[in-house]
Amino acid sequence: PIVALVPAKVRLKHLILALMVLFAVANLVIGLTNSYPLLVIARSVAALSHSTFAAACIIVGVRLAPAGRTGTAISWVTAGFS
């Protein structure tokens, strides 16, 4: 619920960019850490940022789709993640 409330107050473009940077930094920490607790925290941050990024991208895809084609837009966006 908290993750759903924060993006509502931020422009989608800025949110997606910030989530990409956060994901990259978290993965950098994952690659460089020698501490297991820090690894777990960084993995959690990476997972949280990626899941929010995926949801934001689906929203962008739906907004860009013509009327009646939202299902197709969602399928194209999710196909790009797999």
Side-chain angles (χ1 to χ4, degrees), residues 18-74:
L19 290 169
M20 287 173 41
V21 170
L22 183 61
F23 184 73
V25 170
N27 279 293
L28 182 67
V29 171
I30 290 167
L32 297 176
T33 189
N34 290 330
S35 165
Y36 183 72
L38 184 57
L39 175 70
V40 171
I41 292 169
R43 292 275 302 182
S44 299
V45 169
L48 184 64
S49 64
H50 183 269
S51 61
T52 309
F53 174 79
C57 287
I58 290 172
I59 291 169
V60 170
V62 167
R63 287 184 183 175
L64 293 175
R69 304 288 293 178
T70 57
T72 304
I74 292 171

